[in-house]
Amino acid sequence: MRMRLMLLGGGNALGQALIRLGAEEDIAFLAPRPPENGWTPASLTQLLDDHRPDALVNLAYYFDWFQAETVSEQRLALQERAVERLAELCQHHQITLVQPSSYRVFDGSRATAYSEKDEPVPLGLRGQALWRIEQSVRAACPQHVLLRFGWLLDESIDGALGRFLTRAEQPQELLLADDRRGNPTPVDDAARVILSVLKQLDCNAPLWGTYHYAGNEATTPLALGQAILAEAGHYRQLAVQAPTPQAHAARPDASEEPQHAVLACKKILHTFGIKPRAWRAGLPPLLDRFYRHG
């Protein structure tokens, strides 16, 4: 790798997966610790003035965007401003910006898979913030790759998977939507995709733009929950053996979670040669890490 790589968010689950995977191929990331109160436009300006990497992967807000149950409007607004400044700095220093986004930019009103050509109509605060962030990145920094991911799964105790498994330890009804669809995507797989993109950008391929990536085989939260519980049973005796189906419309997050969140991944395949991997194959190592670390 000729490019000098910087990673914001090296401490979260996706950042750790990317560092782990890079180390296997002798690809190193400069991963600065964030200031105590998080990155601000001023601290980002100082950081990039000091280091000037060739490419920057911004996972600074990964947990809030992909794993947190809720995020306040004020917090999202601060993150928007920080990313807007980051994009301006990357353009100024001619740094390639790799920026994650999400299926949440779509409203889930169509039953067929969303492609990069479909017009985003986000539902909730998070989706709306991500759509504005995408627009500011495109406007400020042409040299960017925006990666929209599906349902990301990681081993963090307070992430989506962790919250589900914690609830499964209590004898209670575990309700999951059986008429909602999306693509589960383990963080190891997402890290593989980011690394593959970086390796091709390292060959001076100007493949800027927006791309979708999500694990192979669309499914429902109910079927995903069943698969997780079956795998978790190898590690721990859980109180809940099977989740209970519930309609999307009855779910507490129905107003902000797209009912149909399946992503079409043809563009990333044709441009970068990145093939979707089956999410089921990623569950065993994910749960192994969860129970080892938890």
Side-chain angles (χ1 to χ4, degrees):
M1 181 74 74
R2 292 168 301 177
M3 289 195 303
R4 289 172 299 116
L5 304 175
M6 179 176 280
L7 169 61
L8 298 185
N12 61 52
L14 181 50
Q16 287 288 296
L18 189 55
I19 289 168
R20 235 182 0 255
L21 209 59
E24 290 173 12
E25 301 189 38
D26 290 326
I27 295 171
F29 292 88
L30 173 64
R33 289 178 70 89
E36 200 169 318
N37 295 319
W39 295 109
T40 63
S43 58
L44 286 168
T45 302
Q46 187 66 57
L47 179 73
L48 294 192
D49 278 351
D50 290 347
H51 294 285
R52 305 197 183 189
D54 299 307
L56 186 147
V57 182
N58 178 28
L59 303 180
Y61 311 114
Y62 161 79
F63 187 86
D64 281 357
W65 294 354
F66 296 100
Q67 298 299 326
E69 210 155 9
T70 57
V71 189
S72 72
E73 193 169 4
Q74 183 185 17
R75 193 171 168 92
L76 287 166
L78 290 172
Q79 294 171 359
E80 275 187 63
R81 283 200 290 277
V83 178
E84 190 173 1
R85 180 59 181 150
L86 184 65
E88 291 167 356
L89 290 162
C90 285
Q91 171 63 7
H92 177 71
H93 294 299
Q94 290 299 288
I95 298 165
T96 297
L97 176 59
V98 178
Q99 174 71 38
S101 189
S102 163
Y103 67 90
R104 290 178 189 275
V105 299
F106 299 111
D107 66 1
S109 60
R110 53 177 291 173
T112 51
Y114 284 97
S115 83
E116 293 84 352
K117 291 179 182 174
D118 288 314
E119 186 64 32
V121 184
L123 293 175
L125 288 176
R126 236 181 308 197
Q128 290 160 9
L130 285 168
W131 175 226
R132 287 192 297 268
I133 284 166
E134 283 192 14
Q135 291 171 298
S136 71
V137 166
R138 288 189 193 97
C141 181
Q143 208 166 300
H144 69 264
V145 173
L146 277 159
L147 286 170
R148 289 184 187 143
F149 288 112
W151 296 342
L152 283 173
L153 298 172
D154 71 30
E155 68 273 24
S156 56
I157 191 78
D158 48 355
L161 176 70
R163 292 193 300 273
F164 173 74
L165 288 169
T166 301
R167 287 203 302 272
E169 291 182 1
Q170 308 300 320
Q172 60 179 312
E173 199 174 38
L174 248 183
L175 297 164
L176 290 175
D178 61 349
D179 59 346
R180 188 183 277 182
R181 290 180 67 74
N183 308 80
T185 311
V187 278
D188 287 350
D189 195 21
R192 170 186 72 94
V193 171
I194 294 170
L195 203 63
S196 299
V197 166
L198 288 169
K199 285 196 281 193
Q200 294 203 42
L201 296 177
D202 193 47
C203 302
N204 294 322
L207 306 171
W208 322 126
T210 303
Y211 299 89
H212 289 177
Y213 183 81
N216 196 27
E217 189 200 341
T219 191
T220 64
L222 184 74
L224 172 61
Q226 289 165 341
I228 290 168
L229 290 176
E231 187 61 39
H234 299 312
Y235 297 91
R236 192 164 295 182
Q237 183 69 38
L238 296 171
V240 178
Q241 298 303 308
T244 304
Q246 185 182 35
H248 163 79
R251 298 290 300 153
D253 61 353
S255 63
E256 55 180 44
E257 187 67 26
Q259 181 173 5
H260 300 288
V262 178
L263 296 179
C265 303
K266 285 181 183 171
K267 185 181 174 186
I268 202 164
L269 171 63
H270 294 153
T271 309
F272 290 99
I274 295 171
K275 294 179 182 175
R277 282 193 182 163
W279 58 264
R280 289 179 190 273
L283 286 186
L286 190 60
L287 284 157
D288 182 60
R289 282 203 307 274
F290 177 82
Y291 282 113
R292 260 208 330 252
H293 297 159

